[in-house]
Amino acid sequence: MLISLGLTLILILGPLFYFYVKSYLIKDFKIKRTMFLHGIPFLAFLTLNSLSLLPREFYVLFGIYAIYLHFFAYILASIIWKNNHLKTNDDVSVIKRKWLHYIHIGILLIWASYFVFLLGEYIPYIIGPLTYSITIYFLSLWAITNKVLLEDEKKYQTSNLDSERSSEIFKNLENYFIKEKVYLNPNLKLQMVASKLKVTTHSLSQSVNENCKQNFQQYLNSYRIKEAKQKLSALDHKKVTISSIAYDCGFNSISAFNTAFKKIANQTPSQFRDSVNN
């Protein structure tokens, strides 16, 4: 009974890790009702085990492999989501990037050390707990030493940028965006803008954060969505597809456009266009 309960708990580790990574990178991350759907396999196994409907043979032949592969699928999904997010968000600090890199390696090592034991009797079970302990000690020590969890609070603590200079940089940024419309460039990066304004990437990132409570990517998307709204509302763009407008406004993919639009406008691009037409 205890063994089956332990295995059942693994079904919740994947979703928890996946959403931890998301919450670590998304500043205004919120728990939504749909997220609880990821807990259905856990609840199903828990119910069936409580009613003693899953015999030992089920786990030996199929169940235990399904549980571990379920966990692995979430680890892979987390890695893919993290890599895509970091590609489009230049202002994620080096410490944050390293922490996510190490924690993914760590959890893969832990998963592999337990899973290989299932594939044959040549690997002793003690390898799993040993790998787990060493990995957790290393990650914990590294997180404490580098103040990973406090990193956001202390990000600009040692900065020499005062409020007056920060405000000046932000005004120059707004003028640059409005006059040049550089946000329409799909390859625009924080480094490119900082170089044009003759400031460091750190100063520019801090200025945006302090003056509009957004990171650079969110600030950039706000201009792109504003442009998209104008095009979606314009009579001469009535027959232009939403995907064409998305690319014209600087987005590299439709999914990124839809996500950013809904986040800012609280409705999808098609819903916005329909409301304007009506």
Side-chain angles (χ1 to χ4, degrees):
M1 204 171 161
L2 286 173
I3 291 172
S4 62
L5 177 61
L7 290 171
T8 302
L9 286 170
I10 295 174
L11 289 168
I12 205 69
L13 294 182
L16 286 175
F17 179 72
Y18 177 72
F19 289 121
Y20 165 74
V21 172
K22 278 196 165 188
S23 67
Y24 188 68
L25 285 175
I26 300 174
K27 194 174 182 180
D28 54 349
F29 177 83
K30 292 178 182 177
I31 296 173
K32 299 176 182 176
R33 288 182 181 179
T34 52
M35 293 177 184
F36 290 101
L37 294 174
H38 294 266
I40 289 175
F42 165 73
L43 292 173
F45 267 69
L46 186 64
T47 303
L48 292 170
N49 281 321
S50 301
L51 299 172
S52 301
L53 295 176
L54 295 177
R56 183 178 182 277
E57 290 73 22
F58 167 80
Y59 282 102
V60 173
L61 294 173
F62 171 75
I64 193 166
Y65 300 100
I67 287 170
Y68 273 90
L69 290 175
H70 173 270
F71 191 6
F72 184 66
Y74 273 95
I75 297 172
L76 281 183
S78 172
I79 292 171
I80 293 167
W81 183 89
K82 176 204 68 167
N83 290 341
N84 289 335
H85 183 86
L86 293 178
K87 278 180 187 176
T88 56
N89 289 269
D90 299 324
D91 54 348
V92 177
S93 67
V94 176
I95 292 292
K96 277 195 169 188
R97 289 171 184 268
K98 281 185 176 180
W99 170 245
L100 289 175
H101 181 65
Y102 290 152
I103 202 172
H104 276 95
I105 291 175
I107 206 161
L108 278 172
L109 282 173
I110 291 170
W111 179 88
S113 65
Y114 280 94
F115 188 73
V116 292
F117 170 74
L118 304 176
L119 304 178
E121 297 177 0
Y122 303 105
I123 307 294
Y125 181 77
I126 193 65
I127 294 297
L130 278 174
T131 305
Y132 177 88
S133 300
I134 293 168
T135 303
I136 292 299
Y137 278 123
F138 169 77
L139 289 173
S140 301
L141 207 60
W142 195 88
I144 293 167
T145 305
N146 291 277
K147 298 180 174 61
V148 169
L149 300 180
L150 300 174
E151 198 268 329
D152 268 344
E153 296 171 20
K154 302 199 174 190
K155 190 173 182 181
Y156 304 121
Q157 207 173 62
T158 57
S159 174
N160 294 321
L161 190 70
D162 57 37
S163 58
E164 189 177 337
R165 177 58 179 152
S166 174
S167 179
E168 183 186 345
I169 292 172
F170 187 69
K171 283 179 183 176
N172 292 338
L173 173 65
E174 287 201 303
N175 288 334
Y176 179 51
F177 267 42
I178 292 167
K179 288 180 182 178
E180 304 294 332
K181 288 196 171 185
V182 288
Y183 50 85
L184 298 179
N185 177 5
N187 300 312
L188 189 70
K189 303 290 182 187
L190 177 69
Q191 292 90 334
M192 295 164 62
V193 179
S195 176
K196 186 71 179 178
L197 297 178
K198 293 181 172 56
V199 295
T200 64
T201 54
H202 189 272
S203 295
L204 180 58
S205 178
Q206 180 180 344
S207 174
V208 173
N209 188 269
E210 289 177 345
N211 287 278
C212 66
K213 305 302 178 188
Q214 293 177 313
N215 61 37
F216 180 76
Q217 190 63 43
Q218 291 169 334
Y219 177 77
L220 177 60
N221 283 345
S222 68
Y223 271 88
R224 288 173 173 171
I225 297 303
K226 188 177 180 181
E227 184 79 18
K229 280 183 173 181
Q230 290 175 353
K231 290 182 184 295
L232 288 167
S233 305
L235 292 174
D236 57 345
H237 279 72
K238 248 187 175 183
K239 294 183 179 179
V240 180
T241 63
I242 289 175
S243 57
S244 295
I245 291 174
Y247 291 122
D248 289 343
C249 292
F251 286 93
N252 283 313
S253 70
I254 304 302
S255 59
F257 173 65
N258 286 334
T259 302
F261 197 99
K262 194 168 184 180
K263 192 172 183 180
I264 293 171
N266 290 320
Q267 56 184 164
T268 63
S270 55
Q271 286 172 339
F272 176 81
R273 176 177 260 180
D274 289 341
S275 67
V276 170
N277 290 335
N278 291 335

